[in-house]
Each structure stands twice: as structure tokens, then as C-alpha cells.
Amino acid sequence: MNLFEELANNPGITKALPEAITDTLLMVGVSGFFTVLVGLPLGIFLHTSAPGGLRPMPVTNRILSDIIVNITRSIPFAILMVILIPFSRIVTGSSIGPLAACVPLSIGTIPFFARLVETSLRDVAGGKIDAALVMGSTRMQVIRKVLMPEALPGLVAALTTTLVTLVGYSAMAGIIGGGGLGRLAYNYGVQRFDTAVMVVTIVIIVAIVQIIQLAGDFAARRVDHRSAAGTTRRRRPARTGAGAAAPAAPAGTPDAEPAAGDSRTRV
């Protein structure tokens, strides 16, 4: 029996694998949606409320940044998921399954994404913001028409990094009862010593990560107006033919001939 026949007759591949892939994509998709929905405004607020921002709020910014965001990011995800089991049961009605795992996945990645958003907005040149304010733009107009468009490539890259992180977190969630590829790898690959299922699971996780990364890099290049402007500029080709002027030789070289009308003569 060859490898393909062994995989075709393996119930972990034929029956459990399609459901595990669906659960993983569900967890990543739902958690990614709520991460962007909450993390993007949170990151914008962290940037604008910082000292020197559009609307400085030092006390509120310190509470959100140093207490809520930093403490949540410092808790390991496995511990965070166990702590949030009662809250997941309240929100989804269950403490196991992919939907229940979306609660700790979202809470664990929202501060991470918000910090990436804040970093991307911080890279926007301050001169553009000052110019928009001088022209009479409101704070919301500056955010919508200056900060967001200028930071869009960085925001796309931040979302890509967050989705890749969610894939890894979803595998950890599967071990604790979240389902997906993590649970499949643990139940079959670890407990049943099924090496084939373990290898196939790892290959699929790597493939998902690669697809997300390639799509994110492509989208970041598409929305980057600076790189797009740089690639569209082309050097004007030099004219060739009888009507083209020959390049002038440097004045200090022996081969330099006096131009027409030049009273100087060669010695």
C-alpha cells in the first residue's frame, strides 16, 4: 500500500480533516472580523489621544495603553483562553467549539492589532497632518483623508500579521476544545500516534499561512501609492538617428571639439 492509498483510507484525513479546515477558517474569519471592528478604532484612538496627537488625552491614553492593552497582550493565549471560558459560555452559550473559541481569539488579538495600527499611524509624516489642519480640516477629516490613506499599506500589513497570528492561536485553541486543525493534530497525531495526520495538518496550516501572507503582501503593494508612483515613472529613452545630437565630450578631454560659433581654437 503506497502513501496515497494510506491517506485515502485514513479516517482522520477523509472524515475529520474537511471539518477541521472549516472550523479553522471559521475561527480565523470571525475573530479577524471582530478584531478589525474593535482594534482599528482602538488603535486610532491610541494614536490621536497620545501626547502630541490630534486630541491629546494623557490620562485616558495611559489607562488604555499601559493597563488594558499591555496587560492583555502580556497574558499567554493558552491561559487567557482558560480564564475566559465562563465569559465564552455567556456570549456563545458553550465553552467548547469554534464559535466559543472566537471569543478569546478576538480578545487576545484586538490589543495586538490595535498596537500595530497605532504604529502604522505614527509613521505618517507630521507635515501632512499640519498642512491639513492649516487648510481648515477637522480632526475627523484628517483621520479619514490623511492618516488612513497614508497609513493604508501599513494597516494592510498589520492585518496580515494579525491573521497569521490568529492561525497559530486557533491551533492552540483546538487543543483546549476549540476544534479545528489543532484538535485534529492533537487527537490523531499525538494521542493516536498517527504521523500521517500530523504531517498533513502541518502542511495545511503552512499553506494557509502562506496564502494569507502572499495575499497581504500583494494588497499592500496595490494600495501603496508611493511605490505605485515610483514604478510608473520611466526614464525617457535617448533619441537615436540622424537628428539626434551627439553627446558632448567633457571640456577637459583632448577629444573635445569647439562648438559652432566658439571663437576658441584648439592648440
Side-chain angles (χ1 to χ4, degrees):
M1 182 180 296
N2 56 27
L3 177 61
F4 294 101
E5 292 179 356
E6 181 181 354
L7 295 178
N9 296 325
N10 192 326
I13 302 296
T14 58
K15 296 182 180 179
L17 183 60
E19 181 181 358
I21 295 176
T22 303
D23 291 344
T24 296
L25 295 179
L26 176 64
M27 287 187 287
V28 174
V30 174
S31 303
F33 172 77
F34 285 103
T35 297
V36 174
L37 186 65
V38 180
L40 182 60
L42 178 59
I44 294 174
F45 182 79
L46 289 175
H47 176 71
T48 56
S49 63
L54 290 174
R55 181 66 172 86
M57 301 173 64
V59 178
T60 306
N61 181 271
R62 185 68 63 181
I63 293 174
L64 282 177
S65 179
D66 294 348
I67 298 179
I68 298 178
V69 174
N70 288 347
I71 290 180
T72 306
R73 290 180 58 198
S74 63
I75 301 176
F77 178 73
I79 299 176
L80 181 66
M81 186 170 183
V82 174
I83 294 175
L84 293 175
I85 286 178
F87 183 68
S88 300
R89 186 182 296 112
I90 294 174
V91 174
T92 63
S94 175
S95 59
I96 59 175
L99 288 179
C102 291
V103 176
L105 283 172
S106 301
I107 295 177
T109 52
I110 284 174
F112 176 75
F113 180 67
R115 190 66 75 187
L116 293 179
V117 171
E118 180 189 12
T119 304
S120 300
L121 296 176
R122 194 181 299 161
D123 293 337
V124 178
K128 297 181 179 180
I129 300 175
D130 295 339
L133 292 175
V134 168
M135 289 186 292
S137 300
T138 63
R139 296 190 184 98
M140 288 302 301
Q141 290 176 335
V142 172
I143 293 174
R144 289 188 297 106
K145 298 182 179 181
V146 179
L147 278 177
M148 296 298 292
E150 291 295 325
L152 191 56
L155 296 177
V156 173
L159 178 60
T160 303
T161 304
T162 303
L163 292 178
V164 171
T165 304
L166 277 173
V167 174
Y169 280 178
S170 66
M172 297 172 58
I175 301 177
I176 311 177
L181 293 171
R183 184 180 65 178
L184 178 65
Y186 180 75
N187 289 344
Y188 285 85
V190 177
Q191 294 185 337
R192 302 184 185 183
F193 303 100
D194 195 335
T195 306
V197 175
M198 178 68 76
V199 172
V200 171
T201 302
I202 293 175
V203 170
I204 293 176
I205 291 177
V206 171
I208 293 175
V209 170
Q210 291 297 324
I211 292 173
I212 293 174
Q213 189 65 54
L214 291 175
D217 293 341
F218 176 77
R221 289 193 299 268
R222 294 284 294 181
V223 300
D224 191 353
H225 61 87
R226 295 166 298 181
S227 63
T231 55
T232 54
R233 290 195 298 266
R234 294 291 185 269
R235 181 180 297 177
R236 181 178 297 177
R239 294 187 302 168
T240 58
T253 60
D255 295 334
E257 295 292 340
D262 193 351
S263 61
R264 293 177 299 175
T265 60
R266 296 182 60 185
V267 180

